[in-house]
Structures are given as structure tokens and as C-alpha cells.
Amino acid sequence: MGEWLRDCVENHSDCPRSSISTLPTRVLYVDPDSNKLRLVITDGKRGNYVALSHCWGSIMPLKLTASTLHLYASGISMETLPKTFQDAVIIAKTLCIDYIWIDSLCILQDSPGDWASESSRMADVYTNALVTIAADQSADCTGGIFAERGEEDAKSLPIQVASCSCSYCTVFARWRRRRIYPFANHAADHFPARSGLHSRGWTLQERLLSTRMLHFTPTELVWECTTQISCECRIAGLVPGQHLIFKRAFMGGHIARRIHGALVDDVGRDHTLITQLHWQLVFYEFTARSLSVETDRLPALSGVTNFICRRSSQTYYFGLLHAHAVRGLLWRSFDDRLETLKTKRMPRDYAPSWSFGSITGRIDFLPEIEYFRTFRQSVTIHFISKQLSSANPYGPGTGILSIEGYMVPICVEDPKYAGARRGSYRLFVVKTPSFESKNPPHDYPKNRPWGYFEPDVDGLEEEISGGKPMYLLIIGTCGITEKRINETLGLMLTEESRAGEDLHHRRAGVFRGGGGFVMSRWAHFGVKRCVQIR
């Protein structure tokens, strides 16, 4: 461990040099001469510290609260710590680092205000840590960091060595692995299945933002930094390829200049567009992970959001970055297009309906990456407002999006018709008063545009109940090439007028349509309007 850390600090030009950084608001002082820790309020003090990335699990026997604050400041005995925390302290002592940051012991767990404030500072906590300890193998704080090795991971064999003064030396060997550290890839769909730590939502930003990380896995110890991955099975260190592109993007310099390879090929030289694509990939990975508390959906990305906004000089609105806010509207529920979606709507005061934070579950974005460069928007955003519900500027709240574009009145067909569903997709058609279908879509007039849209959540009938007017807001177009623009993209909106509120709209789904119904044919049935979406 110590050799990896020294080598990185002294020799890795792509990794930040070790410098004494500003400590987080609270840290635990690791007394080298006793068996105690002490909670320290740092008041801007500087020093080196390690951070712990771990799974909470269903229980947390020891945590900081208003009633334990003074108690922990006077000292915490090692024996009272959960096993994972004890092991983390041992690692800090081994590395001769005086301070350690553990979320449950350094953030007041019974203070929503402190929690909101500290969660917004996660970018600094993990970026400034000299190294982050990742408890990969433990499902909760009681499991410990050091795993028992299986027989296949360490075999001893006595052999006679001519150059050795003793008769025999013992050599420890392990089976050769076909692949390096199996959790090196950040991708949600990477094989093999990830550890418990890497399936959790909160830990994505902890890994992305950490300058250096020591992974204690069930089978081996692994080092990860911007320059290389080193592990027991490939001890020499490997230059990271595409599997560490996220970490490279988050280490130093302007974020757009740190992303390279395939991403640049896909989006060209527009740096803000590169940032947007990277942002969407972060969402795709993050929403594939699990959260114990659903309302952590926005706060659990606060550190990443803070980092990206500072490095790209962009304003953030509940998941949207202002430079390409129109693209950010085209998220969709991603459940492998199941017959019934697993997603559900969050409370209205948690996030606007146009935000990915307004639903649970996994999302991805339209257009797909192969169409990314050819997207052309057909709407204008006039303003976006937000009202936060906590001290975290990247947390939940309410907002209004004022947007101008073609609004096409539509009718969603009753699911009783055989053609009205295609998996979780729903059939809709341009609404005209002179025609009522008896066998949709087979008896539609040839000049009447229709298509299937993707609802945001299961239970669409409840969202469109009461005869609410529905519209297709045409967002833009895309195609395989600049000369073959053959797809129309849009949002499905319901119209509402609630007590004490102006007439407004709410998002219900997203549409991508091709074939003969190009944008001009849809727009022919619509009117250009400026609407407010909440």
C-alpha cells in the first residue's frame, strides 16, 4: 500500500501531487499512541486525511448526532467502532496518516441542515483526500475490510532455492486470472457482476472524485489512480484505458480537455457537448445503482454535480446543465422496455416533472450516441427557475421551465385495443374532432400522424386521468448523418390548472418517431406556443 501511494505521489504526472489540503468540516484524529479516535472540528485547518467509501447496510450502530457530538470530541474507543471502521483506522495508521473521514461519524445524522450542507461538499471531501479506502467486500459496516482469502487465491508451496541460505523457502502463488481487477470498469452493464459497494448509488461519486483509491476486494488488494491500476494479480500496474475514462475526466484541468478517445470522436470539438455526453453517461451509470432512500436521488450526485459545474462554468437545474439544457430534457425510463415499467413518480415538491429526479429507476437519453452529433433542436428555452428545499444547491426542490415550440394536440389510445400497447410503449395519434378510431392504428387516415411514446412511469392512466388535454412538444430531430435526418424527438405533456397555480404542463413521457412522419408533418397539426412545464 505504502509503495503504491509513494510512487503515485512522487512519479505520476497525471495524478495531483500530494499537498496539504483543507480538511473537511469534521474529521477523526487517529492518535498513533493510543487506542482512541477523537472528533475534530477543523475550522479551515489543513492536513492529510483518508476517506472511507463503504456500504451502510441496514444498521449503523455508531453515528454522529447532536447528543454524541461532545462525547466523540472527547474520544472514541476503537473497541466501540464497527469492524469496517476499525479496519479503516488500522489502514490509516499503517499509512501514517493522522486523520480519517467517515460519513456517519463526521456528518450530523439527525440534522437535515448539516446533512444537506455537507452532502453538497462531497466533491471536496473525496478530491482532497490523500487516498480513499474502498471496503469492496463488505455489505455493511460490521463486515470488516479485510476478507478471508479462499484457497484458490493463495496457495503455499515449499521449494528449494539454490541461492537461499535456508534449505527451503515458501512461495505463495495463486491461479492466473483471465482478467484484471474485475471491478475496474465503471459501466453499469460490465461483466462480471459488481461488488456490493459498486452497486450502490452514493459510491459512484466517491469513486469518480477520489484522487487515489485502495480497493479491498474479496480476492485481492487493488490500487486505482488516474495513471494506473495495480493489483496482486498484475502487480506491475496497467495504464487505464476506456474503463477509467471517467476517473481521468474528473482529475484536474478543464473537464472537457480530460475526456479523450471514443467520446471525442462521437461529439467532435464542441467541449460543452463533450461535457454533456459525459454528464449523461454519469446519469446512466448512477441510476443503474441502488439507493436505500429514494429521496437521495439528487443529493447522492451532489459531489459530481458540484465538480462538473465548477469545471465547466455551467448552471445546474435539477439535472440540467444550461449549455445543453434541451438535450438534458430527452431522458427516458430505461427498464429494457419491459411490459410494465418499474419506475414511479417522486413527490411533486421533490423535483420538476422535466427532471430525471422526478422519477425512480434507471434512465438513459435520446438521441442514442450514434445520433448525438446530428441532433438539431426546434425549441427555445426562455428561462428556468428553481426553488430549493434545502441548503444543498444540488438537492431537491421545485422549478419552472419556460419553453417555446410546436405543441401538437394528441390523443392516447385506450389500452384495451390490441394495437395500443407495444411492451410499455403507448399508442397516440394527432387529435382531430372529425374522426374516432374503432381499430387503432389500422383504420387511421393516411395523412394522420401517429406513433408510440415511452411513458415515464408505470400508471400512466392516473397521470392522464380526468380528461386532461395532452400534447406532443416537438423538441428536435436527428438522423444517421447530417443529410439523413429521419427521426423526430419530443416530450409528451399533460395540461393542468391546479388551485393557486397558473395554467401549466407536466411531463408524462418521451417520443422518438421515424418513418414517413417527419417533423414537418407533425408540426402541420400543431401551433407554436410558449408553455410552462413544472
Side-chain angles (χ1 to χ4, degrees):
M1 295 188 300
E3 291 180 6
W4 279 333
L5 180 58
R6 281 191 295 273
D7 181 49
C8 179
V9 169
E10 296 173 3
N11 301 317
H12 292 177
S13 59
D14 281 342
C15 297
R17 294 291 183 180
S18 174
S19 60
I20 304 300
S21 58
T22 302
L23 294 170
T25 306
R26 306 178 192 92
V27 290
L28 297 163
Y29 172 65
V30 180
D31 189 341
D33 300 321
S34 74
N35 207 29
K36 279 192 172 186
L37 304 178
R38 179 165 49 85
L39 182 68
V40 177
I41 299 175
T42 60
D43 292 324
K45 183 179 179 180
R46 300 173 68 84
N48 282 327
Y49 66 96
V50 300
L52 176 64
S53 178
H54 68 106
C55 290
W56 275 48
S58 58
I59 57 170
M60 180 54 66
L62 204 65
K63 55 188 176 183
L64 181 66
T65 63
S67 61
T68 60
L69 181 62
H70 294 295
L71 179 65
Y72 292 174
S74 62
I76 309 171
S77 174
M78 277 280 285
E79 289 78 11
T80 64
L81 294 176
K83 188 68 170 65
T84 299
F85 296 0
Q86 290 182 22
D87 291 347
V89 172
I90 292 172
I91 295 166
K93 283 188 174 183
T94 302
L95 296 173
C96 300
I97 299 175
D98 292 336
Y99 299 101
I100 185 169
W101 186 89
I102 300 174
D103 51 5
S104 59
L105 296 181
C106 295
I107 300 175
L108 288 168
Q109 300 301 312
D110 59 349
S111 170
D114 190 67
W115 186 87
S117 177
E118 292 301 306
S119 64
S120 69
R121 298 189 176 113
M122 290 299 175
D124 292 331
V125 169
Y126 287 98
T127 302
N128 292 337
L130 186 62
V131 64
T132 297
I133 300 166
D136 289 57
Q137 67 92 27
S138 183
D140 57 41
C141 65
T142 65
I145 293 178
F146 308 123
E148 290 290 334
R149 298 293 178 89
E151 290 186 5
E152 71 279 6
D153 291 315
K155 287 185 177 294
S156 61
L157 179 68
I159 61 173
Q160 192 168 13
V161 182
S163 60
C164 183
S165 58
C166 58
S167 300
Y168 285 90
C169 291
T170 301
V171 173
F172 291 88
R174 64 190 301 168
W175 294 107
R176 183 179 184 276
R177 297 183 183 275
R178 293 185 178 181
R179 56 173 63 88
I180 62 167
Y181 171 51
F183 309 119
N185 199 314
H186 292 92
D189 300 319
H190 179 63
F191 181 83
R194 295 165 297 173
S195 70
L197 186 68
H198 296 301
S199 66
R200 307 298 299 174
W202 278 97
T203 60
L204 174 64
Q205 67 174 8
E206 295 168 8
R207 185 176 182 187
L208 293 182
L209 296 170
S210 293
T211 304
R212 306 169 184 89
M213 210 160 198
L214 275 168
H215 296 272
F216 290 80
T217 81
T219 58
E220 61 184 336
L221 177 63
V222 179
W223 170 269
E224 178 185 308
C225 64
T226 310
T227 302
Q228 71 181 34
I229 288 177
S230 296
C231 56
E232 294 174 39
C233 57
R234 301 286 196 283
I235 197 69
L238 298 167
V239 176
Q242 195 72 5
H243 57 283
L244 277 186
I245 195 167
F246 276 9
K247 180 172 283 292
R248 287 196 162 208
F250 278 84
M251 289 297 115
H254 191 288
I255 185 171
R257 297 189 182 95
R258 304 297 298 175
I259 303 176
H260 55 85
L263 293 180
V264 174
D265 294 338
D266 286 327
V267 301
R269 296 181 179 274
D270 184 347
H271 285 175
T272 62
L273 198 55
I274 294 171
T275 302
Q276 178 65 28
L277 177 55
H278 187 70
W279 184 233
Q280 292 179 190
L281 293 175
V282 169
F283 277 162
Y284 180 73
E285 165 66 17
F286 170 73
T287 57
R289 296 173 173 227
S290 57
L291 291 167
S292 299
V293 181
E294 290 178 343
T295 52
D296 285 349
R297 189 167 173 89
L298 292 174
L301 273 180
S302 294
V304 172
T305 305
N306 182 9
F307 188 96
I308 287 184
C309 289
R310 285 190 300 182
R311 293 304 175 100
S312 63
S313 300
Q314 295 199 59
T315 307
Y316 171 84
Y317 301 96
F318 305 110
L320 301 187
L321 297 177
H322 81 265
H324 291 280
V326 171
R327 288 179 180 268
L329 294 172
L330 291 170
W331 53 267
R332 62 175 179 174
S333 299
F334 186 86
D335 276 329
D336 296 324
R337 314 329 307 159
L338 301 173
E339 186 70 25
T340 301
L341 291 171
K342 298 177 182 178
T343 55
K344 63 181 181 180
R345 192 72 70 178
M346 296 285 280
R348 287 193 176 215
D349 60 356
Y350 184 79
S353 67
W354 42 262
S355 164
F356 90 101
S358 68
I359 67 168
T360 63
R362 190 177 184 183
I363 66 164
D364 67 354
F365 285 82
L366 295 172
E368 289 89 346
I369 195 167
E370 59 266 29
Y371 298 101
F372 203 81
R373 296 181 67 177
T374 65
F375 173 74
R376 296 294 178 268
Q377 70 183 58
S378 59
V379 293
T380 301
I381 292 179
H382 292 295
F383 70 83
I384 308 175
S385 69
K386 63 178 179 180
Q387 185 171 354
L388 298 169
S389 58
S390 74
N392 184 349
Y394 313 109
T398 58
I400 298 174
L401 172 74
S402 177
I403 188 169
E404 183 176 358
Y406 282 98
M407 292 277 284
V408 182
I410 59 101
C411 174
V412 179
E413 296 289 10
D414 193 308
K416 68 182 180 182
Y417 296 112
R421 294 184 73 105
R422 184 182 293 166
S424 61
Y425 291 68
R426 288 294 299 274
L427 177 67
F428 75 101
V429 64
V430 168
K431 187 174 184 179
T432 55
S434 59
F435 177 79
E436 183 177 348
S437 175
K438 302 297 183 183
N439 185 26
H442 307 292
D443 59 355
Y444 288 164
K446 290 184 178 180
N447 67 340
R448 194 179 187 202
W450 60 275
Y452 289 90
F453 77 94
E454 305 173 42
D456 290 340
V457 295
D458 187 30
L460 175 69
E461 307 309 319
E462 181 179 346
E463 295 206 336
I464 65 175
S465 63
K468 297 174 185 174
M470 287 200 68
Y471 295 88
L472 164 65
L473 172 61
I474 301 174
I475 297 294
T477 58
C478 65
I480 298 175
T481 66
E482 298 279 357
K483 296 181 179 180
R484 294 182 61 189
I485 302 298
N486 58 358
E487 290 204 345
T488 301
L489 303 171
L491 299 183
M492 313 306 294
L493 304 177
T494 61
E495 187 175 273
E496 291 189 0
S497 179
R498 294 164 62 91
E501 296 179 350
D502 296 331
L503 181 70
H504 63 272
H505 295 78
R506 289 185 61 82
R507 175 181 157 140
V510 65
F511 168 68
R512 176 186 63 181
F517 299 122
V518 295
M519 176 181 162
S520 59
R521 296 190 66 182
W522 285 104
H524 174 74
F525 291 89
V527 176
K528 200 166 190 179
R529 293 170 52 191
C530 182
V531 297
Q532 291 189 354
I533 308 175
R534 295 177 183 262

